Amino acid sequence: MSSLQTSPLRPAWSPSHIHPLPPLTYVTLPCDPFPALVAPSQGGAHKQGPNLNGLFGRQSGQAENYSYSTANKNSGIIWGEDTLFEYLLAPKNYIKGTKMVFAGIKSAKDRKDLIAYLKDST
């Protein structure tokens, strides 16, 4: 006799109850890895990150009324295609001490596509 009792809250367990999981499906997203951060509208509100309107040519940490880390404010980076390309690879490595939680984009193509989108949108 089994010591395992069957009840509506605790059914008896056996290997026949184990079902294989369906295969994982991977979805390729359009190059929009952090939509909460990308808000390139003139006069738009800041979200998780600052509004990116006017990003190109602006010094890092300078969008009005956004709370940047001291590291970002003091980095002296001027945002352009080249600086964004490197930053988007690994933000925390590019600006040591940033509070940016985004891990980065490994694919060079995806970074180029995102930069092209930002240039077109800002």
Side-chain angles (χ1 to χ4, degrees), residues 83-118:
T83 53
L84 276 172
F85 186 79
E86 294 302 318
Y87 175 78
L88 289 171
L89 176 62
K92 287 188 176 198
N93 291 340
Y94 195 76
I95 301 176
K96 300 286 187 195
T98 185
K99 63 183 182 179
M100 173 71 148
V101 295
F102 179 64
I105 302 171
K106 300 293 180 227
S107 165
K109 181 190 179 310
D110 288 348
R111 283 182 279 146
K112 287 177 185 177
D113 288 346
L114 180 57
I115 291 166
Y117 165 77
L118 289 171

Side-chain angles (χ1 to χ4, degrees), residues 4-41:
L4 209 57
Q5 298 297 313
T6 302
S7 78
L9 298 177
R10 187 172 181 212
W13 187 259
S14 73
S16 65
H17 289 97
I18 300 172
H19 300 287
L21 293 173
L24 294 175
T25 303
Y26 293 93
V27 178
T28 301
L29 299 174
C31 194
D32 194 3
F34 45 97
L37 300 178
V38 179
S41 59

Side-chain angles (χ1 to χ4, degrees), residues 34-40 44-53 55 58 63-68 72 87 99-102:
F34 45 97
L37 300 178
V38 179
H46 299 304
K47 295 185 181 185
Q48 183 175 348
N51 184 310
L52 299 178
N53 189 62
L55 173 69
R58 182 170 71 204
E64 287 186 35
N65 302 316
Y66 185 76
S67 177
Y68 289 96
N72 200 311
Y87 175 78
K99 63 183 182 179
M100 173 71 148
V101 295
F102 179 64

